[in-house]
Amino acid sequence: MIEIINLSKFFSTESGDFTAINDINLTIEDGDIYGIIGMSGAGKSTLIRCINLLEKPSEGKILIDGVDITALEGNGLLELRRKIGMVFQKFNLLMQRTIRDNVAFPLEVAGVDKKQRLERVDELLDIVGLNSKAGSYPVQLSGGQQQRVSIARALANNPALLLCDEPTSALDSLTTNSILKLLKDINHKLGVTIIIITHEISVVEKICKKVAIIDESRIIEKGLVKDVLKNPQKEMTKKLLERGELIE
Amino acid sequence: MSEFIAQYGSLLIENTWITIYQTTLSTLFAYILGIPLGVLLVISQPHGIWPHKSLNACLGWVVNVGRSIPFIILLVALIPFTRFVMGSAIGPKAVILPLVIAATPFVARMVESALMEVDAGVIEVAQSAGASIRQIVWKVILPEGLPSIVLGASITFITLFGYAAMAGVIGAGGLGDVAVRYGHYKYQSDVMIATIIILIILVQIIQVLGNGISRKIDKRLKNKIGGGKN
């Protein structure tokens, strides 16, 4: 279980301080697919990046199975990150490595020996249906295939938690559906908890069990998808339902 | 023509080898020193993976100082130091020291700009996978930046050809020495022209090689359709 308690992040820039997220409280149960939806600049990316400490929170706590992770440093921090998978909007594959070696990257980092690495990579490429591309390079793959590789990579170290930062925003609608289906399968078969950041309501409708709506750095509404979407309480949520997505 | 070759052929060949030897060795040593410096310049930046403001500023300053001294002046200024380290201030071997000193800051900047091209998103993936700074440098930054580093290396090599020729003027041997002694002092334009032709050919070869190797190793240039070739 992940408990986010009174979490805030302030940035100081040359043009003054600004608050990226403000007093966020959120509980994510094991096995959930939790959607966090908001406009660009609302703070949703900062929030997800706090969970594996790519951003260091300014205030508040993040408890994973009851242990506060926000104070982790050095090896403790590296260990934590190895247990959390992350998928990015831009896929971010290593362009000079084959698909096989891209998926093997987190295993290499964790010190898994070569034989085990290769076995695990085969399993992972099976899961995402790309075994035939093992020897190819990223540039030879389509966007959707590259995102599958990045999902396989994120699952390499058997994480209990998968963070997805706008995983379908760079994809067309058909590919989006297949990636969402893959994420749902992974959640179902492997029991991986998934937190997914998006600005598209359709993503939430298709795979999420729960949703939080974030606006101007704060969570304005949260709960089961069926409740929130059927009976929105806030103006922003209603607007979102009308337009289907939250881009200005 | 055959008379010219009979008279100057062995002189030109010998000095061509000296120039290649000086340039190759100094490029090699400059990279051994310049790659770690370039890596430090990149990772110690404010948004780098190992931010160190004062170290970054200090290294940047040293590199800029090194780059602002024209080579011919550096060469002369370093004579006492070269004599102390190499046992002699002149000669084909001794000149490698000033060449390396001149080239290292240049290489550091070349490597820095090559590594700056590595996508920040890829580095972020490595961080999110729990990679240490050392792992990010060895497994991500250097391999991803390698094709650009190789392109830079041919530029460095060519720049050092020019430097080595200058060093010829103060007795380092090589093609610069031949051009000055025969072409300039003895008014033998044919020797001068021959050295220029040799230099042009060498530079072309290095540039073609550098471009070729860089393209060969850069997997971003793989054939998109029907992949796996090459």
Side-chain angles (χ1 to χ4, degrees), chain A residues 49 52 54 78 81-82 84 86 88 90-97 105-106 108-110 137 139-140 153, chain B residues 119 121-122 124-125 127-131 135 139-140 143-144 147 217-220 222-224 227-228:
Chain A
R49 292 161 58 85
N52 63 358
L54 282 180
L78 299 186
R81 287 178 176 166
R82 285 169 197 174
I84 301 176
M86 190 157 187
F88 296 82
K90 283 191 332 160
F91 330 133
N92 295 340
L93 300 184
L94 292 156
M95 300 309 279
Q96 306 296 341
R97 284 184 175 225
F105 179 80
E108 262 177 66
V109 162
Y137 286 90
V139 74
Q140 297 168 317
R153 174 177 63 187
Chain B
D119 185 5
V122 179
E124 197 156 62
V125 162
Q127 286 178 311
S128 74
Q135 285 173 323
K139 291 179 186 293
V140 179
E144 292 290 303
I217 61 171
D218 192 347
K219 310 303 185 199
R220 286 171 300 184
K222 279 266 172 185
N223 205 344
K224 292 194 187 188

Side-chain angles (χ1 to χ4, degrees), chain A residues 26 33-35 204 208-213 219 221-229:
Chain A
L26 211 56
I33 302 185
Y34 208 117
V204 173
C208 295
K209 188 175 150 205
K210 291 178 191 156
V211 64
I213 290 136
I219 287 182
E221 207 161 336
K222 65 186 170 190
L224 290 169
V225 171
K226 55 179 167 63
D227 299 338
V228 173
L229 298 192

Side-chain angles (χ1 to χ4, degrees), chain B residues 88-109:
Chain B
S88 150
I90 53 168
K93 276 202 181 110
V95 77
I96 289 171
L97 182 72
L99 279 175
V100 170
I101 292 174
T104 299
F106 182 75
V107 170
R109 285 286 183 220

